[in-house]
Amino acid sequence: MALPQVKLDATDARLAAMSLPDGGWSDAARKDALARLRAMGLPSGRDEYWKYTKPDTLVQPDAPHAALFDGDTTPVFSDTDRLRIVFVDGVFDADASDDLTMENVSIERLADAPDIHWARDLYGVLEAKGQTPVERPLAALNTAFATDGVLIHVTGPVARPINLVYRHKSEHSDAILHHVVKVDSGAEVTILENGPAAARFNKCMEIDIADGGTLHHVRAQGRDHERRAATAMFARLGAESVFKSFTLTANGVLTRNEMVVELTGDDAVAHVAGACVGDGDFHHDDTVFITHDAVNCESRQVFKKVLRNGATGVFQGKILVKEGAQKTDGYQISQSLLLDDDSQFLAKPELEIYADDVACSHGSTSGAIDEEGLFYLRSRGIEEGVATDLLTIAFLAEAVMEIEDQALQDEINSRVDAWLSRRRG
Amino acid sequence: MLEIKNLHVQLEEEDKQILKGVDLTVEAGKVHAIMGPNGSGKSTLSYVLSGRDGYEVTEGSATLDGEDILEMEPEERAAAGVFLAFQYPVEIPGVGNMTFLRTAVNAQRKARGQDEMSATDFLKEIRAKAKDLKIDADMLKRPVNVGFSGGEKKRNEILQMAMLEPKMCILDETDSGLDVDAMKLVADGVNALRDEGRGFLVITHYQRLLDHIKPDVVHIMADGRIVKTGGPELALEVENNGYADILAEVA
């Protein structure tokens, strides 16, 4: 089917300003991604999955200006003993990063990596697979044009979390990062991500977890008010593997987080969760697609959004249970706490089930602060603002509790608390 | 201590008068009971005193040690020493009971210009007080009132009262939903707090709670007014004859 002219024009305009990097071993995958992108075109507001989130600023040739945000205190995860990999406006910064050697893991910079067999088998592969049945043009754009990123191969238990740190130092930076993570059978790793990255950030992460492998992912998206980000994660899970991902988003004028998970081996577990707090000019979109293609797998989607002063939250979440994926246990909840009448939450939960012996449940709610609870707390002497914050943190708790590590849970809660206190003045 | 004069209250949402001139004084060290049939305005009085939204005071006053409490926010009233033990304690998922109590204790101390209580002192105190009320460590850790039985919720109210050490305790039908043993436990908790400097206003339908918490003064409330005041014997009269006789007598 021919693309509509506007879409063609927009795609041409963007691509005119770009050229494929010299990717060496990844060249074939990049060319393929570019061809796929040309065929599907960049997203427009007419696309079904872009109805609630305007893609314009993510699509336009130049990154919109984003003032640098000053005022951060200690970066998140500072209390965690971790291996830092730092990117400044989308460029790896060796000096700011830690030594990349660690037991049971190999870490290579995408731009420097030699032709390694495992990376060639994954780069752009999971992303391409994740384009069906829903197109994700920004991820294809990423595969084609990514200028940096890391390839992480986990071969056993990894002692320290790997922390991808994104710094934003230029008001017009337009960063495209692509990471690939391969977790071998029985191996286990924790990946942390934090920071605003760039004025406009397009990030893609492909994750392949072999049978019995475990990946924990905890992300805190930067506090920069004006930054824009479109991220996509594509995860393929083998039998008895575990994938748990949590994202905290505070601030940011526009964030689109896509998560595409495919459970391909029996007894695999995937939990994806997100908590976001938005105030004013804030648009946050979680678009999740989980496919059950094996027996006795469990998936959970837990997304909570706190919105105020005209902030907007979007949730598009799907559970697809393929034929034969019996004993599937799928759960999905998306909830918003609207702190005023100006804010809005748009939710589109979807279930598509082709197996007959499954348990899938989903729910979505929007509500205000519980007045009964608020009065109860105040009647015990807790000031209204503090009481509201307590109830807000309580609202987010179900999502935050998806983080398995207690210290990281506490860290995320304290960040939310600090964010709320700053607004209380 | 608590002085209520000619208090008139109507619902904000609808033009309905609930309290029609309540006069009541609770002295320090005394336990006053308010009894009355359903719909007489007992619970409304407790809510108005603690500052719940939805009520409009159209006339009259309520002061605690001379301070106008009706002008205060609920948290200011709490810091001034007003405590309401809820008829239906609210469940707050996600907020740990212990965190809640510690936040409340320290908020009140801060409001009064006192130092915050250290974590160790707080733990020591709450453990001792919880033990008296047969509240176990698990109940302290769980989210506020979530999954608590009726009796556990009421005991949790009394624990809060014991920790916050208010001047003026208002108990709104604390006996509702309690079996005899639980009622005794709650009453013991209340009695342990009886003190020369503290006033109590115990709202109840039934005399049985007053067997355990012995009142100094009993008021009968009907149609938004105190219609009769007497000693403990008045509660017995209600128990034996119901409200009808008393209401007929004052009508």
Side-chain angles (χ1 to χ4, degrees):
Chain A
M1 198 175 66
L3 288 180
Q5 195 59 43
V6 275
K7 219 170 201 192
L8 268 179
D9 291 347
T11 307
D12 285 344
R14 177 74 187 269
L15 295 180
M18 305 182 85
S19 56
L20 280 186
D22 176 12
W25 59 268
S26 64
D27 275 345
R30 289 171 184 274
K31 281 184 186 130
D32 174 64
L34 180 58
R36 287 188 282 112
L37 175 62
R38 285 206 182 275
M40 69 180 108
L42 282 166
S44 83
R46 288 167 177 271
D47 298 351
E48 194 189 339
Y49 282 87
W50 288 93
K51 233 163 47 190
Y52 306 127
T53 297
K54 268 194 176 159
D56 309 26
T57 52
L58 298 170
V59 166
Q60 71 186 49
D62 296 318
H65 171 270
L68 299 183
F69 180 70
D70 184 24
D72 217 333
T73 44
T74 328
V76 69
F77 307 134
S78 291
D79 292 339
T80 306
D81 181 19
R82 68 230 195 268
L83 186 151
R84 282 169 306 173
I85 305 174
V86 180
F87 296 89
V88 179
D89 289 308
V91 180
F92 175 68
D93 183 338
D95 294 337
S97 301
D98 293 324
D99 176 9
L100 300 187
T101 52
M102 191 160 48
E103 200 180 346
N104 290 333
V105 63
S106 83
I107 302 169
E108 309 253 9
R109 186 180 178 189
L110 174 64
D112 298 340
D115 186 359
I116 27 183
H117 169 69
W118 71 263
R120 188 193 272 267
D121 287 348
L122 291 176
Y123 187 91
V125 173
L126 299 185
E127 173 264 303
K129 187 134 198 291
Q131 299 285 350
T132 317
V134 179
E135 289 175 346
R136 307 174 196 282
L138 292 172
L141 175 90
N142 183 301
T143 297
F145 294 100
T147 45
D148 221 326
V150 281
L151 308 174
I152 300 173
H153 185 192
V154 186
T155 52
V158 177
R160 287 187 291 156
I162 297 168
N163 187 185
L164 304 172
V165 181
Y166 306 121
R167 293 184 185 147
H168 173 204
K169 297 252 172 95
S170 152
E171 296 182 350
H172 293 282
S173 53
D174 194 11
I176 305 181
L177 290 181
H178 195 115
H179 309 304
V180 182
V181 182
K182 180 177 167 64
V183 180
D184 282 354
S185 184
E188 180 166 355
V189 70
T190 297
I191 293 185
L192 309 173
E193 291 185 278
N194 68 284
R200 182 168 72 180
F201 187 33
N202 180 331
K203 193 208 66 183
C204 184
M205 187 185 279
E206 293 174 289
I207 297 166
D208 184 42
I209 309 176
D211 296 355
T214 299
L215 177 82
H216 291 281
H217 171 248
V218 180
R219 162 166 70 167
Q221 287 177 310
R223 275 175 51 209
D224 276 35
H225 292 279
E226 297 183 6
R227 61 113 187 111
R228 290 173 164 78
T231 76
M233 296 178 79
F234 298 90
R236 181 169 67 193
L237 275 66
E240 293 176 33
S241 67
V242 175
F243 173 56
K244 291 189 180 177
S245 170
F246 170 87
T247 300
L248 170 70
T249 311
N251 302 351
V253 68
L254 176 62
T255 308
R256 161 90 159 201
N257 290 332
E258 296 198 23
M259 175 67 80
V260 183
V261 179
E262 201 182 4
L263 298 136
T264 65
D266 296 348
D267 304 300
V269 173
H271 292 188
V272 294
C276 86
V277 285
D279 188 351
D281 198 2
F282 174 92
H283 183 106
H284 186 274
D285 174 332
D286 282 301
T287 295
V288 181
F289 200 112
I290 295 187
T291 304
H292 283 259
D293 196 10
V295 175
N296 203 32
C297 292
E298 174 192 311
S299 73
R300 280 173 69 84
Q301 303 174 39
V302 182
F303 289 87
K304 303 263 187 164
K305 299 179 199 294
V306 176
L307 305 165
R308 58 200 238 176
N309 291 324
T312 300
V314 175
F315 174 79
Q316 310 184 97
K318 179 155 182 167
I319 307 173
L320 168 64
V321 180
K322 288 199 172 173
E323 209 177 323
Q326 303 295 7
K327 305 287 179 196
T328 285
D329 179 2
Y331 173 74
Q332 180 197 86
I333 184 86
S334 65
Q335 294 182 307
S336 74
L337 175 61
L338 303 175
L339 294 176
D340 52 51
D341 293 340
D342 301 329
S343 304
Q344 62 170 344
F345 177 54
L346 304 155
K348 192 170 78 167
E350 294 177 280
L351 291 180
E352 198 177 330
I353 301 173
Y354 296 101
D356 55 9
D357 184 15
V358 302
C360 281
S361 60
H362 68 97
S364 183
T365 64
S366 281
I369 274 282
D370 171 25
E371 289 295 333
E372 290 283 319
L374 189 63
F375 173 63
Y376 191 67
L377 295 175
R378 292 179 72 191
S379 79
R380 298 305 183 241
I382 302 173
E383 188 245 312
E384 186 176 9
V386 178
T388 304
D389 290 357
L390 263 179
L391 293 174
T392 303
I393 290 175
F395 167 78
L396 295 174
E398 188 188 357
V400 177
M401 272 162 20
E402 289 292 326
I403 303 173
E404 210 156 278
D405 184 276
Q406 185 62 47
L408 290 173
Q409 240 188 56
D410 294 346
E411 166 104 42
I412 293 295
N413 272 328
S414 76
R415 293 286 154 165
V416 173
D417 191 37
W419 186 90
L420 292 167
S421 316
R422 279 192 296 275
R423 265 143 196 88
R424 208 165 62 223
Chain B
M1 170 168 282
L2 176 68
E3 219 171 325
I4 303 169
K5 282 187 187 156
N6 194 30
L7 190 63
H8 286 68
V9 171
Q10 66 179 41
L11 293 179
E12 256 171 21
E13 296 280 306
E14 44 186 315
D15 191 18
K16 190 180 172 196
Q17 198 78 22
I18 310 283
L19 299 183
K20 301 170 181 173
V22 174
D23 286 287
L24 179 68
T25 301
V26 180
E27 309 83 2
K30 300 290 185 198
V31 174
H32 284 233
I34 297 186
M35 303 180 73
N38 283 327
S40 57
K42 304 186 303 292
S43 285
T44 296
L45 179 63
S46 74
Y47 286 142
V48 169
L49 292 174
S50 54
R52 190 194 183 106
D53 276 348
Y55 302 98
E56 191 189 340
V57 176
T58 51
E59 211 182 322
S61 66
T63 58
L64 185 68
D65 291 337
E67 268 191 284
D68 179 4
I69 57 169
L70 298 179
E71 283 300 305
M72 297 180 188
E73 296 294 335
E75 54 268 35
E76 294 169 336
R77 300 180 197 206
V82 176
F83 180 93
L84 169 66
F86 282 56
Q87 184 181 359
Y88 304 108
V90 182
E91 296 188 5
I92 308 186
V95 177
N97 212 7
M98 197 88 108
T99 310
F100 157 60
L101 260 170
R102 203 170 154 221
T103 310
V105 166
N106 283 332
Q108 292 203 14
R109 292 174 81 104
K110 202 175 139 199
R112 296 192 206 110
Q114 297 163 328
D115 284 341
E116 289 197 354
M117 204 179 210
S118 77
T120 357
D121 288 349
F122 176 81
L123 267 179
K124 219 189 269 172
E125 198 173 322
I126 197 168
R127 282 199 183 125
K129 288 179 171 167
K131 199 172 159 219
D132 292 342
L133 288 158
K134 297 201 164 68
I135 289 175
D136 60 22
D138 182 53
M139 260 176 78
L140 291 177
K141 265 190 238 149
R142 268 149 60 187
V144 180
N145 295 324
V146 177
F148 287 25
S149 69
E152 286 174 335
K153 283 182 182 170
K154 296 298 171 79
R155 277 186 275 149
N156 201 30
E157 292 293 288
I158 305 305
L159 174 66
Q160 293 168 40
M161 196 162 93
M163 289 302 293
L164 294 168
E165 300 179 333
K167 275 195 244 174
M168 183 64 224
C169 307
I170 305 164
L171 284 74
D172 186 10
E173 306 207 10
T174 295
D175 50 338
S176 68
L178 294 186
D179 59 32
V180 181
D181 292 338
M183 184 151 64
K184 180 133 193 336
L185 203 56
V186 163
D188 287 348
V190 172
N191 288 330
L193 289 168
R194 288 181 76 156
D195 176 281
E196 277 179 16
R198 188 169 287 141
F200 286 86
L201 190 58
V202 179
I203 295 170
T204 181
H205 267 296
Y206 304 106
Q207 196 269 336
R208 56 177 196 165
L209 178 66
L210 304 179
D211 284 341
H212 301 288
I213 304 173
K214 300 248 185 293
D216 298 294
V217 183
V218 175
H219 307 273
I220 306 296
M221 193 165 183
D223 193 26
R225 282 187 202 90
I226 304 284
V227 293
K228 191 166 182 181
T229 296
E233 73 286 351
L234 190 52
L236 288 170
E237 196 183 325
V238 170
E239 178 75 1
N240 295 329
N241 307 329
Y243 291 111
D245 287 1
I246 297 171
L247 297 187
E249 179 192 318
V250 298

